[in-house]
Amino acid sequence: TPSVFDAITCINTDIEVDIGEASVPEKPLAHAGAAAESSQDSANTSTGNKLGGGRTLGSSLTSAASTSTTDKSSMIHPSDTAAAQSSAAAVKLIQEPPADQKQNVCTVQLRSSSGNARRRFDVQKATLQDLFNFAQVTTSQPAETIQLVTRFPRRVFALDAENQSSSLEQQNITQGQEMFMVEPRS
């Protein structure tokens, strides 16, 4: 054993998995009892192989897409939903920077109880008011009632008369990516 020789055991944990549609053999139905067993078997296989509420192993991609619990509406884009468009009518959102612009662009992700949202901002042109407008559109909560919080290091942004016109860059929101948790204002 390795402990007798003061050695270290190394186990190869590389696993090769070939993911594809599984072939399901079709069973001919001989009598009515077999039909009942077959429907019971299909009920067992549809619930037996789930991984964390995701796709069922061995199912085809088309049926998995229809039964998948991944909800695209949890990733909200303000121009995609009717509710966001009606909110956007009341709140003016600035244009995102062009897709080819990489300098001075911060991709902001908001996480709230109503879902996640992502948008790009030019940190030199966009203001804190623009960021809170985006939060208001995606959460349907007035900007004055929420605060945006980063996790680590913890920074809290609340909109007030002093800072609403300051740029994101002035608020130390820089080029790259930022994730904000939307919380009720304290």
Side-chain angles (χ1 to χ4, degrees):
T1 65
S3 61
V4 174
F5 299 106
D6 293 327
I8 299 173
T9 302
C10 182
I11 300 172
N12 183 358
T13 59
D14 292 341
I15 299 173
E16 293 182 22
V17 178
D18 187 19
I19 298 177
E21 187 174 335
S23 59
V24 180
E26 293 188 27
K27 298 178 185 176
L29 298 178
H31 52 32
E37 288 175 9
S38 175
S39 64
Q40 185 179 11
D41 286 345
S42 66
N44 289 341
T45 58
S46 67
T47 60
N49 296 330
K50 290 212 178 202
L51 292 174
R55 293 193 357 216
T56 302
L57 294 176
S59 64
S60 68
L61 292 177
T62 55
S63 67
S66 65
T67 61
S68 175
T69 59
T70 303
D71 186 9
K72 295 283 186 190
S73 66
S74 68
M75 285 298 292
I76 303 168
H77 192 280
S79 62
D80 291 344
T81 62
Q85 288 174 350
S86 65
S87 294
V91 175
K92 177 96 169 100
L93 292 178
I94 62 168
Q95 289 287 96
E96 288 190 39
D100 60 341
Q101 180 180 342
K102 303 295 182 210
Q103 289 286 32
N104 302 317
V105 172
C106 181
T107 301
V108 171
Q109 182 175 3
L110 298 179
R111 291 199 173 182
S112 70
S113 59
S114 60
N116 299 337
R118 185 177 296 164
R119 187 177 175 91
R120 298 172 69 238
F121 289 92
D122 185 327
V123 295
Q124 292 181 334
K125 295 177 184 174
T127 63
L128 198 59
Q129 178 69 56
D130 296 325
L131 181 60
F132 273 85
N133 286 349
F134 173 54
Q136 182 174 344
V137 167
T138 57
T139 63
S140 301
Q141 297 176 16
E144 299 79 27
T145 65
I146 59 174
Q147 61 188 15
L148 302 177
V149 180
T150 61
R151 286 185 154 185
F152 187 80
R154 183 174 170 84
R155 294 181 294 160
V156 179
F157 297 92
L159 193 63
D160 55 34
E162 300 170 355
N163 65 6
Q164 69 181 3
S165 61
S166 62
S167 72
L168 297 180
E169 190 173 51
Q170 291 170 332
Q171 293 290 322
N172 292 325
I173 300 171
T174 58
Q175 175 178 317
Q177 297 179 0
E178 283 283 353
M179 183 179 72
F180 295 98
M181 308 300 283
V182 179
E183 298 178 352
R185 193 167 183 170
S186 54

